[in-house]
Amino acid sequence: QPLRVPAEEYKQRVTQTRKSMQQDGIDFLIVVQPEDLYYLTGFYTIGDSAPQALVLPHDGEPFLVARLIECDLVPKLSWVSKVWTCPDKASVSEVFMYAITAANVQDGRVGIQLQSISAAHFFHLQKFLRKFETEIVDGSKTVERVRLVKSDFEK
């Protein structure tokens, strides 16, 4: 099944988001806002009450953290090939932290969309990231700035 947006467009969106991350001094961005997740990956779900995210390193392969029940949807809706899944009975925060550690992206400045993340998930991440050389900054506007500039595909 083809993606709704051409692969080249997604590539351009990620490139522009990485430039926006650089402007903000962000080494990796945790994208949790549903419209930004859709904009960058094509992935959407009605189950957005549970934390789901795109982790976008400034350099390196992005990955998704999603509910296990969504694992069949990800390859149908998104170009992202690396996905960490979490069964509903497990702690998504623990799966998320494991994925960040495995990807070795926990050091540096992390942008978190503070306007869209639950307080509980934020506190878990904050506690986890304290173990590393990490500074948390608000990444709520990092993707939004990119979305405001329309590409030829979007016009």
Side-chain angles (χ1 to χ4, degrees):
Q1 177 179 357
L3 298 175
R4 294 176 182 216
V5 174
E8 196 56 41
E9 176 70 13
Y10 284 123
K11 188 175 182 180
Q12 183 64 27
R13 291 174 181 182
V14 168
T15 298
Q16 293 305 317
T17 300
R18 285 182 165 145
K19 288 178 183 176
S20 185
M21 288 167 61
Q22 190 170 15
Q23 287 176 338
D24 293 341
I26 293 173
D27 296 305
F28 70 99
L29 180 65
I30 298 174
V31 179
V32 294
Q33 194 162 310
E35 56 268 31
D36 290 344
L37 199 58
Y38 177 74
Y39 176 80
L40 290 173
T41 70
F43 180 68
Y44 64 93
T45 175
I46 60 169
D48 60 9
S49 60
Q52 300 184 78
L54 172 71
V55 177
L56 181 62
H58 189 269
D59 300 308
E61 182 183 4
F63 60 90
L64 284 166
V65 177
R67 295 169 60 211
L68 179 60
I69 198 166
E70 310 285 5
C71 71
D72 290 338
L73 283 178
V74 174
K76 293 176 183 172
L77 300 174
S78 174
W79 59 269
V80 179
S81 60
K82 188 167 192 168
V83 182
W84 294 86
T85 58
C86 179
D88 285 341
K89 64 182 178 184
S91 164
V92 72
S93 293
E94 288 180 22
V95 171
F96 196 83
M97 292 174 228
Y98 181 83
I100 288 173
T101 303
N104 199 30
V105 292
Q106 67 272 14
D107 291 327
R109 289 185 67 175
V110 55
I112 300 176
Q113 292 182 315
L114 297 176
Q115 292 178 345
S116 302
I117 196 167
S118 75
H121 192 48
F122 173 74
F123 287 132
H124 285 292
L125 282 173
Q126 185 180 46
K127 183 179 178 184
F128 167 73
L129 292 170
R130 277 190 197 133
K131 299 181 219 172
F132 306 99
E133 298 294 320
T134 304
E135 177 187 357
I136 297 172
V137 297
D138 188 4
S140 297
K141 300 294 182 187
T142 306
V143 180
E144 184 179 299
R145 275 195 309 272
V146 175
R147 286 184 27 227
L148 289 173
V149 179
K150 300 303 174 196
S151 68
D152 290 339
F153 174 79
E154 295 171 308
K155 291 180 183 173

